[in-house]
Structure formats: structure tokens, C-alpha cells
Amino acid sequence: AGSNAGDLTGIDVDDLHERAARLGNLHVALLTSGVGVIAAIRAGDVATGLTWSDRMIAHRLVLGSSDGPVALELRAVVVAMAGEPYEAARLYAAARTQALRNGLRWPAVEGSTALLDQVTRALADDEVDQARAEGSRLTLAEVVAGLDVTASAPA
């Protein structure tokens, strides 16, 4: 990978994702959806970030995972960018709980610490406590419960 490991230029993430999903390779579809979220975050594109996040979570659920700390953390970043500090704090708490439960590094996403501080400062103390309590019990399925995740799969 070398020094340009984070360089996403020249990669058609949509095409890669569509081909992987069409071939039923959900692991590659999951990876490309993660790349899509990161690219959208870098571009400051909230709507595209949420679309990729929906797909990423849907793939994890289909693969049988109830935990997805990185998927939740990436979604927290996008939701924070969207100006929803309460939901971002809730998602960060879920990501942290699941990462620690699975022995994974927390935070895993660059810039999360500063962003979490920012959303926490935007909330009253009792809101922060409530968001953390809710987030600590949150599952991936609950995050996308209101969404039609089948719509995220290519036709």
C-alpha cells in the first residue's frame, strides 16, 4: 500500500461496490462501503456519507454481525457533520462500547476524539449522560431499524 494508502483517487467505489454485491461478495461490498463513507467524509458530503453508512451497516447485518464499532464510529462522524450532536454522541457511545467489548482500538477513526469533544460540548450534561446510556445498549440493527436496508442493495 505504501505512503498513498489513504489516497482514494482513481477508485470507482460505486462500481466496485456494485460488482461485489452483484457477485455476492459481501466482505468486499462491506470494505468498499467503508471506503465510500470515508471518501464522503473527506469530501464533506453528508448525504452520500449516510447512504454509504446505511450500506455498510446492512452488509454487516447480513454477514451476521450485531456489532460494528467502526461502522458506528464512521456514522457518528457523518451525523456530527450533519449537525446532530445528540445522535452523534449516541453513536460514538455505541461504537466505544462495542470496540471495548471486542478488544478493538478506540477510537479507530482519525479525528473522532476532537469531534466527540465538539458534540459533547454542544449538549447539556444530562443529554450527554442519556446519549451515552442509550448508545451503550445500541445495536447495529437498531441504527438502521427505520431504514429500508434492502433499498441499499443494488437491483
PDB file of all heavy atoms in Angstrom, residues 60-101:
ATOM      1  N   ARG A  60     -22.997  -5.613   7.210  1.00  0.00           N
ATOM      2  CA  ARG A  60     -22.578  -6.254   8.477  1.00  0.00           C
ATOM      3  C   ARG A  60     -23.710  -7.110   9.037  1.00  0.00           C
ATOM      4  O   ARG A  60     -23.472  -8.212   9.529  1.00  0.00           O
ATOM      5  CB  ARG A  60     -22.150  -5.205   9.506  1.00  0.00           C
ATOM      6  CG  ARG A  60     -20.784  -4.611   9.223  1.00  0.00           C
ATOM      7  CD  ARG A  60     -20.179  -4.017  10.476  1.00  0.00           C
ATOM      8  NE  ARG A  60     -19.774  -5.064  11.400  1.00  0.00           N
ATOM      9  CZ  ARG A  60     -18.579  -5.660  11.408  1.00  0.00           C
ATOM     10  NH1 ARG A  60     -17.668  -5.332  10.531  1.00  0.00           N
ATOM     11  NH2 ARG A  60     -18.289  -6.589  12.301  1.00  0.00           N
ATOM     12  N   LEU A  61     -24.934  -6.594   8.969  1.00  0.00           N
ATOM     13  CA  LEU A  61     -26.084  -7.344   9.486  1.00  0.00           C
ATOM     14  C   LEU A  61     -26.312  -8.620   8.680  1.00  0.00           C
ATOM     15  O   LEU A  61     -26.561  -9.683   9.246  1.00  0.00           O
ATOM     16  CB  LEU A  61     -27.345  -6.469   9.475  1.00  0.00           C
ATOM     17  CG  LEU A  61     -27.331  -5.302  10.467  1.00  0.00           C
ATOM     18  CD1 LEU A  61     -28.505  -4.375  10.215  1.00  0.00           C
ATOM     19  CD2 LEU A  61     -27.340  -5.815  11.906  1.00  0.00           C
ATOM     20  N   VAL A  62     -26.212  -8.522   7.365  1.00  0.00           N
ATOM     21  CA  VAL A  62     -26.405  -9.699   6.511  1.00  0.00           C
ATOM     22  C   VAL A  62     -25.309 -10.728   6.786  1.00  0.00           C
ATOM     23  O   VAL A  62     -25.552 -11.933   6.757  1.00  0.00           O
ATOM     24  CB  VAL A  62     -26.431  -9.305   5.010  1.00  0.00           C
ATOM     25  CG1 VAL A  62     -26.444 -10.544   4.123  1.00  0.00           C
ATOM     26  CG2 VAL A  62     -27.654  -8.440   4.716  1.00  0.00           C
ATOM     27  N   LEU A  63     -24.111 -10.248   7.096  1.00  0.00           N
ATOM     28  CA  LEU A  63     -23.000 -11.140   7.425  1.00  0.00           C
ATOM     29  C   LEU A  63     -23.145 -11.724   8.837  1.00  0.00           C
ATOM     30  O   LEU A  63     -22.310 -12.492   9.281  1.00  0.00           O
ATOM     31  CB  LEU A  63     -21.663 -10.416   7.284  1.00  0.00           C
ATOM     32  CG  LEU A  63     -21.211 -10.150   5.842  1.00  0.00           C
ATOM     33  CD1 LEU A  63     -20.078  -9.140   5.801  1.00  0.00           C
ATOM     34  CD2 LEU A  63     -20.806 -11.452   5.155  1.00  0.00           C
ATOM     35  N   GLY A  64     -24.191 -11.308   9.554  1.00  0.00           N
ATOM     36  CA  GLY A  64     -24.481 -11.910  10.855  1.00  0.00           C
ATOM     37  C   GLY A  64     -23.818 -11.233  12.034  1.00  0.00           C
ATOM     38  O   GLY A  64     -23.715 -11.808  13.112  1.00  0.00           O
ATOM     39  N   SER A  65     -23.374  -9.999  11.857  1.00  0.00           N
ATOM     40  CA  SER A  65     -22.713  -9.299  12.955  1.00  0.00           C
ATOM     41  C   SER A  65     -23.666  -8.327  13.627  1.00  0.00           C
ATOM     42  O   SER A  65     -24.304  -7.523  12.960  1.00  0.00           O
ATOM     43  CB  SER A  65     -21.501  -8.539  12.419  1.00  0.00           C
ATOM     44  OG  SER A  65     -20.882  -7.829  13.457  1.00  0.00           O
ATOM     45  N   SER A  66     -23.775  -8.415  14.952  1.00  0.00           N
ATOM     46  CA  SER A  66     -24.617  -7.455  15.673  1.00  0.00           C
ATOM     47  C   SER A  66     -23.786  -6.257  16.133  1.00  0.00           C
ATOM     48  O   SER A  66     -24.329  -5.230  16.501  1.00  0.00           O
ATOM     49  CB  SER A  66     -25.271  -8.124  16.879  1.00  0.00           C
ATOM     50  OG  SER A  66     -24.271  -8.617  17.751  1.00  0.00           O
ATOM     51  N   ASP A  67     -22.456  -6.403  16.089  1.00  0.00           N
ATOM     52  CA  ASP A  67     -21.547  -5.324  16.457  1.00  0.00           C
ATOM     53  C   ASP A  67     -20.868  -4.766  15.208  1.00  0.00           C
ATOM     54  O   ASP A  67     -20.632  -5.509  14.250  1.00  0.00           O
ATOM     55  CB  ASP A  67     -20.446  -5.822  17.398  1.00  0.00           C
ATOM     56  CG  ASP A  67     -20.921  -5.963  18.835  1.00  0.00           C
ATOM     57  OD1 ASP A  67     -22.104  -5.679  19.097  1.00  0.00           O
ATOM     58  OD2 ASP A  67     -20.114  -6.366  19.688  1.00  0.00           O
ATOM     59  N   GLY A  68     -20.570  -3.502  15.261  1.00  0.00           N
ATOM     60  CA  GLY A  68     -19.837  -2.871  14.164  1.00  0.00           C
ATOM     61  C   GLY A  68     -19.257  -1.560  14.616  1.00  0.00           C
ATOM     62  O   GLY A  68     -19.704  -0.512  14.193  1.00  0.00           O
ATOM     63  N   PRO A  69     -18.271  -1.617  15.531  1.00  0.00           N
ATOM     64  CA  PRO A  69     -17.766  -0.380  16.121  1.00  0.00           C
ATOM     65  C   PRO A  69     -17.255   0.637  15.104  1.00  0.00           C
ATOM     66  O   PRO A  69     -17.537   1.830  15.231  1.00  0.00           O
ATOM     67  CB  PRO A  69     -16.657  -0.839  17.071  1.00  0.00           C
ATOM     68  CG  PRO A  69     -16.434  -2.277  16.826  1.00  0.00           C
ATOM     69  CD  PRO A  69     -17.614  -2.811  16.090  1.00  0.00           C
ATOM     70  N   VAL A  70     -16.536   0.179  14.088  1.00  0.00           N
ATOM     71  CA  VAL A  70     -16.012   1.132  13.104  1.00  0.00           C
ATOM     72  C   VAL A  70     -17.151   1.702  12.263  1.00  0.00           C
ATOM     73  O   VAL A  70     -17.199   2.905  11.989  1.00  0.00           O
ATOM     74  CB  VAL A  70     -14.914   0.484  12.223  1.00  0.00           C
ATOM     75  CG1 VAL A  70     -14.453   1.449  11.139  1.00  0.00           C
ATOM     76  CG2 VAL A  70     -13.725   0.056  13.086  1.00  0.00           C
ATOM     77  N   ALA A  71     -18.095   0.853  11.876  1.00  0.00           N
ATOM     78  CA  ALA A  71     -19.266   1.313  11.110  1.00  0.00           C
ATOM     79  C   ALA A  71     -20.037   2.365  11.905  1.00  0.00           C
ATOM     80  O   ALA A  71     -20.471   3.383  11.363  1.00  0.00           O
ATOM     81  CB  ALA A  71     -20.165   0.136  10.753  1.00  0.00           C
ATOM     82  N   LEU A  72     -20.194   2.128  13.213  1.00  0.00           N
ATOM     83  CA  LEU A  72     -20.908   3.072  14.071  1.00  0.00           C
ATOM     84  C   LEU A  72     -20.119   4.364  14.252  1.00  0.00           C
ATOM     85  O   LEU A  72     -20.694   5.457  14.267  1.00  0.00           O
ATOM     86  CB  LEU A  72     -21.194   2.435  15.433  1.00  0.00           C
ATOM     87  CG  LEU A  72     -22.254   1.325  15.421  1.00  0.00           C
ATOM     88  CD1 LEU A  72     -22.225   0.558  16.730  1.00  0.00           C
ATOM     89  CD2 LEU A  72     -23.639   1.897  15.157  1.00  0.00           C
ATOM     90  N   GLU A  73     -18.808   4.230  14.385  1.00  0.00           N
ATOM     91  CA  GLU A  73     -17.972   5.418  14.571  1.00  0.00           C
ATOM     92  C   GLU A  73     -17.979   6.291  13.313  1.00  0.00           C
ATOM     93  O   GLU A  73     -18.096   7.517  13.393  1.00  0.00           O
ATOM     94  CB  GLU A  73     -16.550   5.001  14.942  1.00  0.00           C
ATOM     95  CG  GLU A  73     -15.693   6.164  15.384  1.00  0.00           C
ATOM     96  CD  GLU A  73     -14.291   5.749  15.799  1.00  0.00           C
ATOM     97  OE1 GLU A  73     -14.032   4.543  16.035  1.00  0.00           O
ATOM     98  OE2 GLU A  73     -13.437   6.641  15.875  1.00  0.00           O
ATOM     99  N   LEU A  74     -17.893   5.652  12.141  1.00  0.00           N
ATOM    100  CA  LEU A  74     -17.957   6.409  10.887  1.00  0.00           C
ATOM    101  C   LEU A  74     -19.311   7.108  10.748  1.00  0.00           C
ATOM    102  O   LEU A  74     -19.392   8.256  10.330  1.00  0.00           O
ATOM    103  CB  LEU A  74     -17.709   5.485   9.685  1.00  0.00           C
ATOM    104  CG  LEU A  74     -16.266   5.049   9.479  1.00  0.00           C
ATOM    105  CD1 LEU A  74     -16.188   3.954   8.413  1.00  0.00           C
ATOM    106  CD2 LEU A  74     -15.378   6.228   9.097  1.00  0.00           C
ATOM    107  N   ARG A  75     -20.379   6.412  11.121  1.00  0.00           N
ATOM    108  CA  ARG A  75     -21.707   7.029  11.051  1.00  0.00           C
ATOM    109  C   ARG A  75     -21.800   8.207  12.027  1.00  0.00           C
ATOM    110  O   ARG A  75     -22.410   9.235  11.713  1.00  0.00           O
ATOM    111  CB  ARG A  75     -22.799   6.007  11.348  1.00  0.00           C
ATOM    112  CG  ARG A  75     -24.195   6.557  11.049  1.00  0.00           C
ATOM    113  CD  ARG A  75     -25.263   5.495  11.248  1.00  0.00           C
ATOM    114  NE  ARG A  75     -26.552   5.932  10.767  1.00  0.00           N
ATOM    115  CZ  ARG A  75     -27.008   5.724   9.538  1.00  0.00           C
ATOM    116  NH1 ARG A  75     -26.249   5.105   8.644  1.00  0.00           N
ATOM    117  NH2 ARG A  75     -28.208   6.140   9.183  1.00  0.00           N
ATOM    118  N   ALA A  76     -21.172   8.068  13.205  1.00  0.00           N
ATOM    119  CA  ALA A  76     -21.155   9.162  14.179  1.00  0.00           C
ATOM    120  C   ALA A  76     -20.489  10.404  13.578  1.00  0.00           C
ATOM    121  O   ALA A  76     -20.973  11.522  13.777  1.00  0.00           O
ATOM    122  CB  ALA A  76     -20.427   8.731  15.456  1.00  0.00           C
ATOM    123  N   VAL A  77     -19.414  10.201  12.829  1.00  0.00           N
ATOM    124  CA  VAL A  77     -18.722  11.321  12.192  1.00  0.00           C
ATOM    125  C   VAL A  77     -19.661  12.024  11.205  1.00  0.00           C
ATOM    126  O   VAL A  77     -19.798  13.247  11.224  1.00  0.00           O
ATOM    127  CB  VAL A  77     -17.433  10.850  11.465  1.00  0.00           C
ATOM    128  CG1 VAL A  77     -16.825  11.978  10.651  1.00  0.00           C
ATOM    129  CG2 VAL A  77     -16.418  10.297  12.464  1.00  0.00           C
ATOM    130  N   VAL A  78     -20.330  11.232  10.367  1.00  0.00           N
ATOM    131  CA  VAL A  78     -21.236  11.803   9.357  1.00  0.00           C
ATOM    132  C   VAL A  78     -22.396  12.538  10.033  1.00  0.00           C
ATOM    133  O   VAL A  78     -22.757  13.656   9.643  1.00  0.00           O
ATOM    134  CB  VAL A  78     -21.773  10.709   8.403  1.00  0.00           C
ATOM    135  CG1 VAL A  78     -22.780  11.291   7.418  1.00  0.00           C
ATOM    136  CG2 VAL A  78     -20.625  10.036   7.654  1.00  0.00           C
ATOM    137  N   VAL A  79     -22.961  11.932  11.080  1.00  0.00           N
ATOM    138  CA  VAL A  79     -24.087  12.535  11.794  1.00  0.00           C
ATOM    139  C   VAL A  79     -23.642  13.825  12.504  1.00  0.00           C
ATOM    140  O   VAL A  79     -24.385  14.814  12.534  1.00  0.00           O
ATOM    141  CB  VAL A  79     -24.706  11.509  12.775  1.00  0.00           C
ATOM    142  CG1 VAL A  79     -25.676  12.157  13.727  1.00  0.00           C
ATOM    143  CG2 VAL A  79     -25.395  10.391  11.990  1.00  0.00           C
ATOM    144  N   ALA A  80     -22.427  13.832  13.035  1.00  0.00           N
ATOM    145  CA  ALA A  80     -21.886  15.052  13.640  1.00  0.00           C
ATOM    146  C   ALA A  80     -21.741  16.148  12.583  1.00  0.00           C
ATOM    147  O   ALA A  80     -22.090  17.307  12.827  1.00  0.00           O
ATOM    148  CB  ALA A  80     -20.536  14.766  14.302  1.00  0.00           C
ATOM    149  N   MET A  81     -21.260  15.767  11.399  1.00  0.00           N
ATOM    150  CA  MET A  81     -21.146  16.715  10.290  1.00  0.00           C
ATOM    151  C   MET A  81     -22.516  17.263   9.895  1.00  0.00           C
ATOM    152  O   MET A  81     -22.634  18.399   9.445  1.00  0.00           O
ATOM    153  CB  MET A  81     -20.510  16.038   9.068  1.00  0.00           C
ATOM    154  CG  MET A  81     -19.019  15.784   9.203  1.00  0.00           C
ATOM    155  SD  MET A  81     -18.383  14.646   7.907  1.00  0.00           S
ATOM    156  CE  MET A  81     -18.918  15.465   6.400  1.00  0.00           C
ATOM    157  N   ALA A  82     -23.537  16.442  10.067  1.00  0.00           N
ATOM    158  CA  ALA A  82     -24.908  16.840   9.712  1.00  0.00           C
ATOM    159  C   ALA A  82     -25.509  17.776  10.761  1.00  0.00           C
ATOM    160  O   ALA A  82     -26.633  18.251  10.597  1.00  0.00           O
ATOM    161  CB  ALA A  82     -25.784  15.601   9.547  1.00  0.00           C
ATOM    162  N   GLY A  83     -24.775  18.001  11.860  1.00  0.00           N
ATOM    163  CA  GLY A  83     -25.248  18.910  12.895  1.00  0.00           C
ATOM    164  C   GLY A  83     -26.243  18.280  13.844  1.00  0.00           C
ATOM    165  O   GLY A  83     -27.152  18.943  14.327  1.00  0.00           O
ATOM    166  N   GLU A  84     -26.063  16.986  14.112  1.00  0.00           N
ATOM    167  CA  GLU A  84     -26.935  16.275  15.050  1.00  0.00           C
ATOM    168  C   GLU A  84     -26.100  15.734  16.208  1.00  0.00           C
ATOM    169  O   GLU A  84     -25.787  14.548  16.265  1.00  0.00           O
ATOM    170  CB  GLU A  84     -27.653  15.122  14.333  1.00  0.00           C
ATOM    171  CG  GLU A  84     -28.587  15.582  13.227  1.00  0.00           C
ATOM    172  CD  GLU A  84     -29.263  14.403  12.523  1.00  0.00           C
ATOM    173  OE1 GLU A  84     -29.563  13.397  13.197  1.00  0.00           O
ATOM    174  OE2 GLU A  84     -29.470  14.503  11.312  1.00  0.00           O
ATOM    175  N   PRO A  85     -25.742  16.623  17.153  1.00  0.00           N
ATOM    176  CA  PRO A  85     -24.807  16.219  18.214  1.00  0.00           C
ATOM    177  C   PRO A  85     -25.332  15.101  19.120  1.00  0.00           C
ATOM    178  O   PRO A  85     -24.558  14.250  19.534  1.00  0.00           O
ATOM    179  CB  PRO A  85     -24.571  17.509  19.004  1.00  0.00           C
ATOM    180  CG  PRO A  85     -25.690  18.418  18.646  1.00  0.00           C
ATOM    181  CD  PRO A  85     -26.111  18.039  17.257  1.00  0.00           C
ATOM    182  N   TYR A  86     -26.642  15.094  19.400  1.00  0.00           N
ATOM    183  CA  TYR A  86     -27.164  14.053  20.295  1.00  0.00           C
ATOM    184  C   TYR A  86     -27.010  12.676  19.660  1.00  0.00           C
ATOM    185  O   TYR A  86     -26.509  11.736  20.289  1.00  0.00           O
ATOM    186  CB  TYR A  86     -28.635  14.309  20.660  1.00  0.00           C
ATOM    187  CG  TYR A  86     -29.154  13.311  21.664  1.00  0.00           C
ATOM    188  CD1 TYR A  86     -28.971  13.524  23.031  1.00  0.00           C
ATOM    189  CD2 TYR A  86     -29.781  12.141  21.257  1.00  0.00           C
ATOM    190  CE1 TYR A  86     -29.403  12.590  23.960  1.00  0.00           C
ATOM    191  CE2 TYR A  86     -30.220  11.202  22.178  1.00  0.00           C
ATOM    192  CZ  TYR A  86     -30.028  11.432  23.528  1.00  0.00           C
ATOM    193  OH  TYR A  86     -30.446  10.503  24.453  1.00  0.00           O
ATOM    194  N   GLU A  87     -27.439  12.563  18.409  1.00  0.00           N
ATOM    195  CA  GLU A  87     -27.337  11.276  17.717  1.00  0.00           C
ATOM    196  C   GLU A  87     -25.876  10.879  17.533  1.00  0.00           C
ATOM    197  O   GLU A  87     -25.521   9.706  17.677  1.00  0.00           O
ATOM    198  CB  GLU A  87     -28.067  11.344  16.370  1.00  0.00           C
ATOM    199  CG  GLU A  87     -28.069  10.049  15.574  1.00  0.00           C
ATOM    200  CD  GLU A  87     -28.708   8.852  16.273  1.00  0.00           C
ATOM    201  OE1 GLU A  87     -29.392   9.021  17.318  1.00  0.00           O
ATOM    202  OE2 GLU A  87     -28.520   7.723  15.791  1.00  0.00           O
ATOM    203  N   ALA A  88     -25.013  11.851  17.266  1.00  0.00           N
ATOM    204  CA  ALA A  88     -23.582  11.558  17.122  1.00  0.00           C
ATOM    205  C   ALA A  88     -23.015  11.021  18.438  1.00  0.00           C
ATOM    206  O   ALA A  88     -22.279  10.031  18.446  1.00  0.00           O
ATOM    207  CB  ALA A  88     -22.822  12.807  16.685  1.00  0.00           C
ATOM    208  N   ALA A  89     -23.376  11.649  19.557  1.00  0.00           N
ATOM    209  CA  ALA A  89     -22.890  11.200  20.871  1.00  0.00           C
ATOM    210  C   ALA A  89     -23.374   9.780  21.162  1.00  0.00           C
ATOM    211  O   ALA A  89     -22.635   8.958  21.703  1.00  0.00           O
ATOM    212  CB  ALA A  89     -23.364  12.163  21.960  1.00  0.00           C
ATOM    213  N   ARG A  90     -24.615   9.502  20.790  1.00  0.00           N
ATOM    214  CA  ARG A  90     -25.197   8.167  20.982  1.00  0.00           C
ATOM    215  C   ARG A  90     -24.431   7.120  20.161  1.00  0.00           C
ATOM    216  O   ARG A  90     -24.090   6.043  20.652  1.00  0.00           O
ATOM    217  CB  ARG A  90     -26.657   8.227  20.520  1.00  0.00           C
ATOM    218  CG  ARG A  90     -27.600   7.288  21.194  1.00  0.00           C
ATOM    219  CD  ARG A  90     -29.044   7.665  20.826  1.00  0.00           C
ATOM    220  NE  ARG A  90     -29.378   7.233  19.478  1.00  0.00           N
ATOM    221  CZ  ARG A  90     -30.150   6.169  19.222  1.00  0.00           C
ATOM    222  NH1 ARG A  90     -30.677   5.470  20.203  1.00  0.00           N
ATOM    223  NH2 ARG A  90     -30.404   5.833  17.983  1.00  0.00           N
ATOM    224  N   LEU A  91     -24.147   7.449  18.910  1.00  0.00           N
ATOM    225  CA  LEU A  91     -23.425   6.526  18.032  1.00  0.00           C
ATOM    226  C   LEU A  91     -21.979   6.337  18.484  1.00  0.00           C
ATOM    227  O   LEU A  91     -21.445   5.224  18.445  1.00  0.00           O
ATOM    228  CB  LEU A  91     -23.460   7.039  16.586  1.00  0.00           C
ATOM    229  CG  LEU A  91     -24.825   6.943  15.910  1.00  0.00           C
ATOM    230  CD1 LEU A  91     -24.874   7.811  14.661  1.00  0.00           C
ATOM    231  CD2 LEU A  91     -25.160   5.495  15.576  1.00  0.00           C
ATOM    232  N   TYR A  92     -21.338   7.432  18.948  1.00  0.00           N
ATOM    233  CA  TYR A  92     -19.981   7.305  19.484  1.00  0.00           C
ATOM    234  C   TYR A  92     -19.966   6.383  20.701  1.00  0.00           C
ATOM    235  O   TYR A  92     -19.071   5.555  20.857  1.00  0.00           O
ATOM    236  CB  TYR A  92     -19.403   8.677  19.866  1.00  0.00           C
ATOM    237  CG  TYR A  92     -18.664   9.366  18.748  1.00  0.00           C
ATOM    238  CD1 TYR A  92     -18.996  10.647  18.350  1.00  0.00           C
ATOM    239  CD2 TYR A  92     -17.603   8.736  18.101  1.00  0.00           C
ATOM    240  CE1 TYR A  92     -18.305  11.298  17.334  1.00  0.00           C
ATOM    241  CE2 TYR A  92     -16.901   9.370  17.086  1.00  0.00           C
ATOM    242  CZ  TYR A  92     -17.259  10.644  16.701  1.00  0.00           C
ATOM    243  OH  TYR A  92     -16.565  11.272  15.705  1.00  0.00           O
ATOM    244  N   ALA A  93     -20.962   6.521  21.566  1.00  0.00           N
ATOM    245  CA  ALA A  93     -21.032   5.666  22.760  1.00  0.00           C
ATOM    246  C   ALA A  93     -21.210   4.202  22.362  1.00  0.00           C
ATOM    247  O   ALA A  93     -20.604   3.308  22.953  1.00  0.00           O
ATOM    248  CB  ALA A  93     -22.172   6.119  23.668  1.00  0.00           C
ATOM    249  N   ALA A  94     -22.037   3.972  21.349  1.00  0.00           N
ATOM    250  CA  ALA A  94     -22.250   2.601  20.862  1.00  0.00           C
ATOM    251  C   ALA A  94     -20.948   2.038  20.291  1.00  0.00           C
ATOM    252  O   ALA A  94     -20.563   0.894  20.587  1.00  0.00           O
ATOM    253  CB  ALA A  94     -23.348   2.585  19.798  1.00  0.00           C
ATOM    254  N   ALA A  95     -20.267   2.844  19.495  1.00  0.00           N
ATOM    255  CA  ALA A  95     -19.007   2.408  18.884  1.00  0.00           C
ATOM    256  C   ALA A  95     -17.975   2.077  19.949  1.00  0.00           C
ATOM    257  O   ALA A  95     -17.302   1.044  19.890  1.00  0.00           O
ATOM    258  CB  ALA A  95     -18.480   3.502  17.949  1.00  0.00           C
ATOM    259  N   ARG A  96     -17.875   2.961  20.955  1.00  0.00           N
ATOM    260  CA  ARG A  96     -16.893   2.758  22.027  1.00  0.00           C
ATOM    261  C   ARG A  96     -17.198   1.482  22.811  1.00  0.00           C
ATOM    262  O   ARG A  96     -16.312   0.663  23.062  1.00  0.00           O
ATOM    263  CB  ARG A  96     -16.890   3.971  22.964  1.00  0.00           C
ATOM    264  CG  ARG A  96     -15.913   3.848  24.106  1.00  0.00           C
ATOM    265  CD  ARG A  96     -15.959   5.079  25.022  1.00  0.00           C
ATOM    266  NE  ARG A  96     -14.934   4.987  26.046  1.00  0.00           N
ATOM    267  CZ  ARG A  96     -15.087   4.305  27.181  1.00  0.00           C
ATOM    268  NH1 ARG A  96     -16.225   3.680  27.450  1.00  0.00           N
ATOM    269  NH2 ARG A  96     -14.105   4.257  28.061  1.00  0.00           N
ATOM    270  N   THR A  97     -18.470   1.306  23.190  1.00  0.00           N
ATOM    271  CA  THR A  97     -18.885   0.121  23.948  1.00  0.00           C
ATOM    272  C   THR A  97     -18.539  -1.155  23.180  1.00  0.00           C
ATOM    273  O   THR A  97     -17.976  -2.102  23.732  1.00  0.00           O
ATOM    274  CB  THR A  97     -20.404   0.166  24.219  1.00  0.00           C
ATOM    275  OG1 THR A  97     -20.690   1.330  25.005  1.00  0.00           O
ATOM    276  CG2 THR A  97     -20.869  -1.062  24.986  1.00  0.00           C
ATOM    277  N   GLN A  98     -18.873  -1.174  21.881  1.00  0.00           N
ATOM    278  CA  GLN A  98     -18.645  -2.374  21.080  1.00  0.00           C
ATOM    279  C   GLN A  98     -17.161  -2.611  20.821  1.00  0.00           C
ATOM    280  O   GLN A  98     -16.704  -3.756  20.824  1.00  0.00           O
ATOM    281  CB  GLN A  98     -19.425  -2.283  19.768  1.00  0.00           C
ATOM    282  CG  GLN A  98     -20.930  -2.321  20.008  1.00  0.00           C
ATOM    283  CD  GLN A  98     -21.742  -2.295  18.729  1.00  0.00           C
ATOM    284  OE1 GLN A  98     -21.212  -2.510  17.640  1.00  0.00           O
ATOM    285  NE2 GLN A  98     -23.032  -2.031  18.852  1.00  0.00           N
ATOM    286  N   ALA A  99     -16.407  -1.532  20.607  1.00  0.00           N
ATOM    287  CA  ALA A  99     -14.963  -1.680  20.384  1.00  0.00           C
ATOM    288  C   ALA A  99     -14.300  -2.292  21.617  1.00  0.00           C
ATOM    289  O   ALA A  99     -13.530  -3.251  21.515  1.00  0.00           O
ATOM    290  CB  ALA A  99     -14.328  -0.329  20.056  1.00  0.00           C
ATOM    291  N   LEU A 100     -14.630  -1.751  22.799  1.00  0.00           N
ATOM    292  CA  LEU A 100     -14.015  -2.256  24.026  1.00  0.00           C
ATOM    293  C   LEU A 100     -14.441  -3.692  24.307  1.00  0.00           C
ATOM    294  O   LEU A 100     -13.643  -4.520  24.734  1.00  0.00           O
ATOM    295  CB  LEU A 100     -14.352  -1.333  25.206  1.00  0.00           C
ATOM    296  CG  LEU A 100     -13.826   0.109  25.074  1.00  0.00           C
ATOM    297  CD1 LEU A 100     -14.223   0.950  26.269  1.00  0.00           C
ATOM    298  CD2 LEU A 100     -12.309   0.135  24.869  1.00  0.00           C
ATOM    299  N   ARG A 101     -15.712  -3.999  24.037  1.00  0.00           N
ATOM    300  CA  ARG A 101     -16.225  -5.356  24.241  1.00  0.00           C
ATOM    301  C   ARG A 101     -15.502  -6.360  23.342  1.00  0.00           C
ATOM    302  O   ARG A 101     -15.309  -7.513  23.709  1.00  0.00           O
ATOM    303  CB  ARG A 101     -17.735  -5.376  23.947  1.00  0.00           C
ATOM    304  CG  ARG A 101     -18.381  -6.725  24.112  1.00  0.00           C
ATOM    305  CD  ARG A 101     -19.892  -6.637  24.199  1.00  0.00           C
ATOM    306  NE  ARG A 101     -20.515  -6.184  22.960  1.00  0.00           N
ATOM    307  CZ  ARG A 101     -21.532  -5.316  22.915  1.00  0.00           C
ATOM    308  NH1 ARG A 101     -22.025  -4.795  24.018  1.00  0.00           N
ATOM    309  NH2 ARG A 101     -22.057  -4.969  21.765  1.00  0.00           N
TER     310      ARG A 101
END
